[in-house]
mmCIF file of all heavy atoms in Angstrom:
data_model
loop_
_atom_site.group_PDB
_atom_site.id
_atom_site.type_symbol
_atom_site.label_atom_id
_atom_site.label_comp_id
_atom_site.label_asym_id
_atom_site.label_seq_id
_atom_site.Cartn_x
_atom_site.Cartn_y
_atom_site.Cartn_z
ATOM 1 N N VAL A 26 -5.118 38.019 -0.091
ATOM 2 C CA VAL A 26 -3.653 37.858 -0.170
ATOM 3 C C VAL A 26 -3.225 37.381 -1.557
ATOM 4 O O VAL A 26 -2.081 36.947 -1.747
ATOM 5 C CB VAL A 26 -3.143 36.884 0.913
ATOM 6 C CG1 VAL A 26 -3.411 37.445 2.297
ATOM 7 C CG2 VAL A 26 -3.759 35.504 0.757
ATOM 8 N N GLY A 27 -4.129 37.454 -2.528
ATOM 9 C CA GLY A 27 -3.772 37.159 -3.902
ATOM 10 C C GLY A 27 -3.777 35.695 -4.291
ATOM 11 O O GLY A 27 -3.198 35.320 -5.315
ATOM 12 N N ILE A 28 -4.441 34.854 -3.497
ATOM 13 C CA ILE A 28 -4.517 33.425 -3.821
ATOM 14 C C ILE A 28 -5.793 33.168 -4.605
ATOM 15 O O ILE A 28 -6.891 33.447 -4.114
ATOM 16 C CB ILE A 28 -4.481 32.565 -2.545
ATOM 17 C CG1 ILE A 28 -3.149 32.744 -1.813
ATOM 18 C CG2 ILE A 28 -4.706 31.084 -2.882
ATOM 19 C CD1 ILE A 28 -3.077 32.030 -0.479
ATOM 20 N N PRO A 29 -5.692 32.651 -5.824
ATOM 21 C CA PRO A 29 -6.902 32.403 -6.619
ATOM 22 C C PRO A 29 -7.735 31.280 -6.011
ATOM 23 O O PRO A 29 -7.196 30.302 -5.483
ATOM 24 C CB PRO A 29 -6.347 31.992 -7.985
ATOM 25 C CG PRO A 29 -4.995 31.409 -7.686
ATOM 26 C CD PRO A 29 -4.468 32.208 -6.519
ATOM 27 N N VAL A 30 -9.056 31.398 -6.096
ATOM 28 C CA VAL A 30 -9.953 30.370 -5.558
ATOM 29 C C VAL A 30 -11.016 30.050 -6.593
ATOM 30 O O VAL A 30 -11.305 30.852 -7.488
ATOM 31 C CB VAL A 30 -10.623 30.817 -4.242
ATOM 32 C CG1 VAL A 30 -9.588 31.103 -3.169
ATOM 33 C CG2 VAL A 30 -11.509 32.031 -4.466
ATOM 34 N N LEU A 31 -11.604 28.880 -6.457
ATOM 35 C CA LEU A 31 -12.658 28.445 -7.348
ATOM 36 C C LEU A 31 -13.686 27.677 -6.537
ATOM 37 O O LEU A 31 -13.359 26.691 -5.878
ATOM 38 C CB LEU A 31 -12.083 27.547 -8.450
ATOM 39 C CG LEU A 31 -12.985 27.220 -9.633
ATOM 40 C CD1 LEU A 31 -13.365 28.482 -10.391
ATOM 41 C CD2 LEU A 31 -12.265 26.255 -10.573
ATOM 42 N N ARG A 32 -14.935 28.146 -6.543
ATOM 43 C CA ARG A 32 -15.993 27.469 -5.800
ATOM 44 C C ARG A 32 -16.469 26.246 -6.586
ATOM 45 O O ARG A 32 -16.732 26.331 -7.786
ATOM 46 C CB ARG A 32 -17.166 28.412 -5.538
ATOM 47 C CG ARG A 32 -16.826 29.586 -4.655
ATOM 48 C CD ARG A 32 -16.462 29.174 -3.229
ATOM 49 N NE ARG A 32 -17.626 28.913 -2.413
ATOM 50 C CZ ARG A 32 -18.201 29.812 -1.606
ATOM 51 N NH1 ARG A 32 -17.714 31.040 -1.536
ATOM 52 N NH2 ARG A 32 -19.247 29.483 -0.870
ATOM 53 N N VAL A 33 -16.581 25.120 -5.904
ATOM 54 C CA VAL A 33 -17.013 23.872 -6.538
ATOM 55 C C VAL A 33 -18.496 23.701 -6.280
ATOM 56 O O VAL A 33 -18.918 23.458 -5.151
ATOM 57 C CB VAL A 33 -16.232 22.667 -5.982
ATOM 58 C CG1 VAL A 33 -16.749 21.375 -6.601
ATOM 59 C CG2 VAL A 33 -14.741 22.833 -6.244
ATOM 60 N N LYS A 34 -19.288 23.818 -7.339
ATOM 61 C CA LYS A 34 -20.732 23.614 -7.231
ATOM 62 C C LYS A 34 -21.210 22.649 -8.309
ATOM 63 O O LYS A 34 -22.366 22.614 -8.671
ATOM 64 C CB LYS A 34 -21.464 24.959 -7.355
ATOM 65 C CG LYS A 34 -21.127 25.919 -6.218
ATOM 66 C CD LYS A 34 -21.871 27.227 -6.346
ATOM 67 C CE LYS A 34 -21.526 28.165 -5.198
ATOM 68 N NZ LYS A 34 -22.219 29.476 -5.307
ATOM 69 N N GLY A 35 -20.305 21.877 -8.816
ATOM 70 C CA GLY A 35 -20.574 20.916 -9.875
ATOM 71 C C GLY A 35 -19.245 20.453 -10.415
ATOM 72 O O GLY A 35 -18.227 20.508 -9.734
ATOM 73 N N GLN A 36 -19.206 20.013 -11.663
ATOM 74 C CA GLN A 36 -17.974 19.559 -12.262
ATOM 75 C C GLN A 36 -17.102 20.757 -12.597
ATOM 76 O O GLN A 36 -17.542 21.725 -13.207
ATOM 77 C CB GLN A 36 -18.261 18.747 -13.528
ATOM 78 C CG GLN A 36 -17.036 18.144 -14.181
ATOM 79 C CD GLN A 36 -16.468 16.993 -13.383
ATOM 80 O OE1 GLN A 36 -17.037 16.590 -12.368
ATOM 81 N NE2 GLN A 36 -15.353 16.454 -13.836
ATOM 82 N N VAL A 37 -15.827 20.718 -12.185
ATOM 83 C CA VAL A 37 -14.873 21.794 -12.444
ATOM 84 C C VAL A 37 -13.719 21.225 -13.249
ATOM 85 O O VAL A 37 -13.197 20.146 -12.925
ATOM 86 C CB VAL A 37 -14.349 22.402 -11.131
ATOM 87 C CG1 VAL A 37 -13.290 23.449 -11.421
ATOM 88 C CG2 VAL A 37 -15.497 23.022 -10.339
ATOM 89 N N ALA A 38 -13.322 21.906 -14.292
ATOM 90 C CA ALA A 38 -12.217 21.434 -15.125
ATOM 91 C C ALA A 38 -10.956 21.259 -14.288
ATOM 92 O O ALA A 38 -10.609 22.127 -13.482
ATOM 93 C CB ALA A 38 -11.970 22.414 -16.266
ATOM 94 N N GLN A 39 -10.256 20.137 -14.492
ATOM 95 C CA GLN A 39 -9.068 19.832 -13.713
ATOM 96 C C GLN A 39 -8.015 20.922 -13.839
ATOM 97 O O GLN A 39 -7.333 21.271 -12.883
ATOM 98 C CB GLN A 39 -8.496 18.480 -14.179
ATOM 99 C CG GLN A 39 -7.167 18.085 -13.540
ATOM 100 C CD GLN A 39 -7.306 17.673 -12.095
ATOM 101 O OE1 GLN A 39 -8.411 17.393 -11.647
ATOM 102 N NE2 GLN A 39 -6.201 17.648 -11.379
ATOM 103 N N GLU A 40 -7.880 21.493 -15.067
ATOM 104 C CA GLU A 40 -6.811 22.462 -15.301
ATOM 105 C C GLU A 40 -7.182 23.881 -14.864
ATOM 106 O O GLU A 40 -6.324 24.766 -14.859
ATOM 107 C CB GLU A 40 -6.428 22.465 -16.787
ATOM 108 C CG GLU A 40 -7.538 22.896 -17.726
ATOM 109 C CD GLU A 40 -8.462 21.739 -18.119
ATOM 110 O OE1 GLU A 40 -8.335 20.645 -17.526
ATOM 111 O OE2 GLU A 40 -9.309 21.942 -18.996
ATOM 112 N N ALA A 41 -8.442 24.137 -14.500
ATOM 113 C CA ALA A 41 -8.847 25.474 -14.073
ATOM 114 C C ALA A 41 -8.068 25.878 -12.822
ATOM 115 O O ALA A 41 -7.936 25.102 -11.876
ATOM 116 C CB ALA A 41 -10.347 25.509 -13.804
ATOM 117 N N GLU A 42 -7.546 27.099 -12.819
ATOM 118 C CA GLU A 42 -6.677 27.528 -11.736
ATOM 119 C C GLU A 42 -7.489 27.973 -10.520
ATOM 120 O O GLU A 42 -8.570 28.519 -10.650
ATOM 121 C CB GLU A 42 -5.788 28.685 -12.208
ATOM 122 C CG GLU A 42 -4.612 28.994 -11.296
ATOM 123 C CD GLU A 42 -3.650 27.820 -11.164
ATOM 124 O OE1 GLU A 42 -3.601 26.976 -12.072
ATOM 125 O OE2 GLU A 42 -2.955 27.747 -10.137
ATOM 126 N N GLY A 43 -6.958 27.730 -9.334
ATOM 127 C CA GLY A 43 -7.595 28.191 -8.114
ATOM 128 C C GLY A 43 -7.703 27.116 -7.058
ATOM 129 O O GLY A 43 -7.957 25.945 -7.367
ATOM 130 N N VAL A 44 -7.514 27.509 -5.796
ATOM 131 C CA VAL A 44 -7.768 26.611 -4.671
ATOM 132 C C VAL A 44 -9.254 26.274 -4.668
ATOM 133 O O VAL A 44 -10.102 27.157 -4.794
ATOM 134 C CB VAL A 44 -7.360 27.296 -3.346
ATOM 135 C CG1 VAL A 44 -7.792 26.461 -2.150
ATOM 136 C CG2 VAL A 44 -5.859 27.538 -3.316
ATOM 137 N N ARG A 45 -9.578 25.003 -4.548
ATOM 138 C CA ARG A 45 -10.971 24.576 -4.621
ATOM 139 C C ARG A 45 -11.667 24.745 -3.270
ATOM 140 O O ARG A 45 -11.157 24.279 -2.247
ATOM 141 C CB ARG A 45 -11.069 23.110 -5.042
ATOM 142 C CG ARG A 45 -10.374 22.750 -6.365
ATOM 143 C CD ARG A 45 -10.845 23.613 -7.522
ATOM 144 N NE ARG A 45 -10.531 23.016 -8.808
ATOM 145 C CZ ARG A 45 -9.697 23.537 -9.698
ATOM 146 N NH1 ARG A 45 -9.073 24.684 -9.427
ATOM 147 N NH2 ARG A 45 -9.485 22.947 -10.851
ATOM 148 N N LEU A 46 -12.822 25.408 -3.267
ATOM 149 C CA LEU A 46 -13.642 25.570 -2.068
ATOM 150 C C LEU A 46 -14.957 24.840 -2.290
ATOM 151 O O LEU A 46 -15.641 25.065 -3.290
ATOM 152 C CB LEU A 46 -13.927 27.051 -1.787
ATOM 153 C CG LEU A 46 -12.726 27.990 -1.636
ATOM 154 C CD1 LEU A 46 -13.201 29.396 -1.284
ATOM 155 C CD2 LEU A 46 -11.766 27.491 -0.583
ATOM 156 N N ALA A 47 -15.328 23.950 -1.364
ATOM 157 C CA ALA A 47 -16.533 23.145 -1.552
ATOM 158 C C ALA A 47 -17.157 22.814 -0.213
ATOM 159 O O ALA A 47 -16.468 22.728 0.809
ATOM 160 C CB ALA A 47 -16.194 21.848 -2.300
ATOM 161 N N THR A 48 -18.468 22.617 -0.220
ATOM 162 C CA THR A 48 -19.115 22.084 0.978
ATOM 163 C C THR A 48 -18.700 20.619 1.131
ATOM 164 O O THR A 48 -18.222 19.984 0.185
ATOM 165 C CB THR A 48 -20.639 22.161 0.872
ATOM 166 O OG1 THR A 48 -21.074 21.326 -0.220
ATOM 167 C CG2 THR A 48 -21.098 23.596 0.646
ATOM 168 N N MET A 49 -18.922 20.065 2.316
ATOM 169 C CA MET A 49 -18.569 18.671 2.540
ATOM 170 C C MET A 49 -19.328 17.756 1.589
ATOM 171 O O MET A 49 -18.777 16.769 1.090
ATOM 172 C CB MET A 49 -18.856 18.285 3.996
ATOM 173 C CG MET A 49 -17.913 18.916 5.003
ATOM 174 S SD MET A 49 -18.275 18.350 6.681
ATOM 175 C CE MET A 49 -17.005 19.236 7.606
ATOM 176 N N HIS A 50 -20.591 18.073 1.326
ATOM 177 C CA HIS A 50 -21.367 17.249 0.404
ATOM 178 C C HIS A 50 -20.792 17.303 -1.008
ATOM 179 O O HIS A 50 -20.759 16.289 -1.713
ATOM 180 C CB HIS A 50 -22.833 17.697 0.377
ATOM 181 C CG HIS A 50 -23.615 17.270 1.577
ATOM 182 N ND1 HIS A 50 -23.701 18.046 2.715
ATOM 183 C CD2 HIS A 50 -24.337 16.143 1.829
ATOM 184 C CE1 HIS A 50 -24.454 17.421 3.616
ATOM 185 N NE2 HIS A 50 -24.846 16.267 3.100
ATOM 186 N N ALA A 51 -20.317 18.471 -1.430
ATOM 187 C CA ALA A 51 -19.788 18.626 -2.785
ATOM 188 C C ALA A 51 -18.412 17.999 -2.949
ATOM 189 O O ALA A 51 -17.931 17.853 -4.082
ATOM 190 C CB ALA A 51 -19.725 20.112 -3.154
ATOM 191 N N MET A 52 -17.772 17.599 -1.841
ATOM 192 C CA MET A 52 -16.440 16.994 -1.929
ATOM 193 C C MET A 52 -16.498 15.569 -2.462
ATOM 194 O O MET A 52 -15.479 15.014 -2.885
ATOM 195 C CB MET A 52 -15.770 16.996 -0.553
ATOM 196 C CG MET A 52 -15.341 18.356 -0.069
ATOM 197 S SD MET A 52 -13.915 19.012 -0.957
ATOM 198 C CE MET A 52 -12.565 18.187 -0.095
ATOM 199 N N LYS A 53 -17.678 14.948 -2.439
ATOM 200 C CA LYS A 53 -17.772 13.554 -2.875
ATOM 201 C C LYS A 53 -17.304 13.423 -4.315
ATOM 202 O O LYS A 53 -17.702 14.176 -5.191
ATOM 203 C CB LYS A 53 -19.221 13.061 -2.757
ATOM 204 C CG LYS A 53 -19.344 11.574 -2.942
ATOM 205 C CD LYS A 53 -18.783 10.833 -1.740
ATOM 206 C CE LYS A 53 -18.670 9.355 -2.004
ATOM 207 N NZ LYS A 53 -17.512 9.012 -2.854
ATOM 208 N N GLY A 54 -16.428 12.456 -4.555
ATOM 209 C CA GLY A 54 -15.926 12.208 -5.889
ATOM 210 C C GLY A 54 -14.701 13.024 -6.257
ATOM 211 O O GLY A 54 -14.134 12.836 -7.334
ATOM 212 N N LEU A 55 -14.276 13.935 -5.373
ATOM 213 C CA LEU A 55 -13.106 14.758 -5.638
ATOM 214 C C LEU A 55 -11.898 14.227 -4.863
ATOM 215 O O LEU A 55 -12.033 13.439 -3.937
ATOM 216 C CB LEU A 55 -13.366 16.211 -5.235
ATOM 217 C CG LEU A 55 -14.576 16.893 -5.872
ATOM 218 C CD1 LEU A 55 -14.722 18.310 -5.322
ATOM 219 C CD2 LEU A 55 -14.456 16.911 -7.384
ATOM 220 N N GLU A 56 -10.719 14.667 -5.243
ATOM 221 C CA GLU A 56 -9.524 14.366 -4.466
ATOM 222 C C GLU A 56 -8.494 15.461 -4.691
ATOM 223 O O GLU A 56 -8.456 16.095 -5.744
ATOM 224 C CB GLU A 56 -8.938 13.005 -4.832
ATOM 225 C CG GLU A 56 -8.462 12.869 -6.258
ATOM 226 C CD GLU A 56 -7.852 11.492 -6.504
ATOM 227 O OE1 GLU A 56 -8.597 10.519 -6.661
ATOM 228 O OE2 GLU A 56 -6.611 11.418 -6.537
ATOM 229 N N PHE A 57 -7.676 15.690 -3.661
ATOM 230 C CA PHE A 57 -6.676 16.745 -3.698
ATOM 231 C C PHE A 57 -5.414 16.263 -2.991
ATOM 232 O O PHE A 57 -5.478 15.407 -2.107
ATOM 233 C CB PHE A 57 -7.196 18.007 -2.994
ATOM 234 C CG PHE A 57 -8.489 18.532 -3.549
ATOM 235 C CD1 PHE A 57 -9.699 18.159 -2.990
ATOM 236 C CD2 PHE A 57 -8.495 19.376 -4.645
ATOM 237 C CE1 PHE A 57 -10.898 18.621 -3.497
ATOM 238 C CE2 PHE A 57 -9.698 19.851 -5.161
ATOM 239 C CZ PHE A 57 -10.895 19.476 -4.584
ATOM 240 N N ARG A 58 -4.297 16.832 -3.351
ATOM 241 C CA ARG A 58 -3.065 16.498 -2.632
ATOM 242 C C ARG A 58 -3.159 16.956 -1.180
ATOM 243 O O ARG A 58 -2.633 16.298 -0.280
ATOM 244 C CB ARG A 58 -1.852 17.128 -3.324
ATOM 245 C CG ARG A 58 -1.505 16.468 -4.652
ATOM 246 C CD ARG A 58 -0.292 17.102 -5.282
ATOM 247 N NE ARG A 58 0.878 16.964 -4.415
ATOM 248 C CZ ARG A 58 2.052 17.564 -4.638
ATOM 249 N NH1 ARG A 58 2.184 18.354 -5.689
ATOM 250 N NH2 ARG A 58 3.056 17.381 -3.823
ATOM 251 N N ALA A 59 -3.806 18.090 -0.953
ATOM 252 C CA ALA A 59 -3.961 18.609 0.407
ATOM 253 C C ALA A 59 -5.399 19.056 0.618
ATOM 254 O O ALA A 59 -5.992 19.691 -0.255
ATOM 255 C CB ALA A 59 -3.009 19.787 0.650
ATOM 256 N N VAL A 60 -5.957 18.710 1.777
ATOM 257 C CA VAL A 60 -7.323 19.092 2.122
ATOM 258 C C VAL A 60 -7.332 19.746 3.497
ATOM 259 O O VAL A 60 -6.707 19.245 4.438
ATOM 260 C CB VAL A 60 -8.267 17.872 2.124
ATOM 261 C CG1 VAL A 60 -9.609 18.221 2.769
ATOM 262 C CG2 VAL A 60 -8.485 17.360 0.708
ATOM 263 N N SER A 61 -8.049 20.862 3.599
ATOM 264 C CA SER A 61 -8.288 21.516 4.881
ATOM 265 C C SER A 61 -9.786 21.486 5.155
ATOM 266 O O SER A 61 -10.578 21.984 4.347
ATOM 267 C CB SER A 61 -7.791 22.968 4.863
ATOM 268 O OG SER A 61 -6.378 23.029 4.820
ATOM 269 N N VAL A 62 -10.170 20.881 6.284
ATOM 270 C CA VAL A 62 -11.567 20.821 6.698
ATOM 271 C C VAL A 62 -11.784 21.897 7.748
ATOM 272 O O VAL A 62 -11.173 21.856 8.826
ATOM 273 C CB VAL A 62 -11.926 19.439 7.263
ATOM 274 C CG1 VAL A 62 -13.390 19.409 7.702
ATOM 275 C CG2 VAL A 62 -11.653 18.350 6.228
ATOM 276 N N LEU A 63 -12.639 22.868 7.443
ATOM 277 C CA LEU A 63 -12.906 23.984 8.348
ATOM 278 C C LEU A 63 -14.161 23.730 9.175
ATOM 279 O O LEU A 63 -15.078 23.024 8.745
ATOM 280 C CB LEU A 63 -13.113 25.269 7.550
ATOM 281 C CG LEU A 63 -11.936 25.848 6.769
ATOM 282 C CD1 LEU A 63 -12.399 27.083 6.010
ATOM 283 C CD2 LEU A 63 -10.787 26.191 7.690
ATOM 284 N N GLY A 64 -14.215 24.339 10.358
ATOM 285 C CA GLY A 64 -15.453 24.392 11.123
ATOM 286 C C GLY A 64 -15.917 23.067 11.692
ATOM 287 O O GLY A 64 -17.131 22.843 11.822
#
C-alpha cells in the first residue's frame, strides 16, 4: 500500500524514513510514539 518500512537489525539512523519493523528482542533500547505488537 506504499508505506515505507525499515527492518531493525542493529542501530538505525533516527532520520531514516520508514516504519520500523523489529523482533521483540531487537526492540530493547528503542522507543516510538506508536507501537504495534503482533502475534
Side-chain angles (χ1 to χ4, degrees):
V26 296
I28 297 175
V30 300
L31 192 62
R32 296 295 280 265
V33 177
K34 296 181 180 179
Q36 184 72 4
V37 176
Q39 175 73 16
E40 63 274 9
E42 194 61 25
V44 172
R45 304 305 198 245
L46 304 183
T48 63
M49 289 183 179
H50 284 90
M52 289 288 278
K53 191 72 190 77
L55 304 178
E56 63 178 78
F57 304 94
R58 289 181 61 188
V60 168
S61 290
V62 179
L63 294 177

